[in-house]
Amino acid sequence: MVGPPGAGKGTQAQILASELSIPKVSTGDIFRANVSGGTELGNQAKTYMDRGELVPDEVTNAMVRDRLAQDDAKAGFLLDGFPRNVAQAETLNKILGELDELLDVVLELRVDKEEVVKRLSGRRSCRNCGHVQHVDYDPPKTEGVCDSCGGELFQRDDDREETIRRRLEVYDEQTAPLVSFYDNEGLLVPIKATGPVEDVTARAMEALRSRT
Ligand code: AP5
Ligand code: MG
């Protein structure tokens, strides 16, 4: 899945991966788990994430290479937040070649900037299960408590206004070129990512069915 910060990649990845019974590989989630766990990888990633910059490609690519080689990814996987620049996309093609696999489809989640800022500033994520909610669009039944597992909801460090702005710039400069990259490979399917979450899921499932 490709799309700007706040497009709903994580929200859709969780639903689609469960519908399709395949793992979702969310590089942002893996980095955040490492930051909370205080690992070497987490320490390396944190300074970049806090500034809204991309973590260096060597670090990110090695992490994805390991993840995709695991047994549960043999029957398919859904990538959320990777690749994020053309160099990562080229490395992904190499990794897939080594694993004798191909991408079926690249879903481009389309949302305008104003909506993205509203979504990110009101986002809350569960510390326990990673479920994502929103203070206005998907308010928790009890404030601060995850509807899915009862865990604690928190606001991500990089959802501060100035960091959101930088993440959007980084998207335009480095990630947006992937749209034409994957269009040239014949893999791109743009999807309207506004409106109810279920409607976006239905559009994504339709796109997947038409390509797999
Ligand atoms: P990452 O975690 O990938 O963040 P991101 O791309 O900025 O995307 P977000 O997670 O912010 O948004 P999302 O599209 O998942 O939206 P969500 O579903 O949560 O990356 C974080 C950092 O890690 C990067 O800045 C970088 O430093 C590093 N990193 C990660 N991958 C990397 C890579 N490959 N290379 C280098 N560095 C990397 O939804 C947002 C909100 O909207 C939620 O509150 C949700 O409830 C709400 N919402 C969702 N859908 C709808 C809807 N249809 N209507 C209303 N509200 C909705
Ligand atoms: Mg996400």
Side-chain angles (χ1 to χ4, degrees), residues 192-203:
K192 175 171 159 299
T194 46
V197 169
E198 313 78 80
D199 292 4
V200 181
T201 306
R203 285 178 212 125

Side-chain angles (χ1 to χ4, degrees), residues 6 9-11 27 32 53 81 84 88 123 133 167 195:
K9 302 182 298 294
T11 302
T27 42
R32 277 184 292 278
E53 304 289 339
R84 240 178 160 98
Q88 289 184 7
R123 169 166 58 190
Q133 300 205 214
R167 284 161 61 205

Side-chain angles (χ1 to χ4, degrees), residues 21-47:
S21 303
I22 53 172
K24 73 175 172 81
V25 176
S26 301
T27 42
D29 288 352
I30 304 175
F31 284 135
R32 277 184 292 278
N34 277 277
V35 170
S36 328
T39 68
E40 175 58 34
L41 176 65
N43 295 340
Q44 277 177 301
K46 190 173 186 328
T47 42

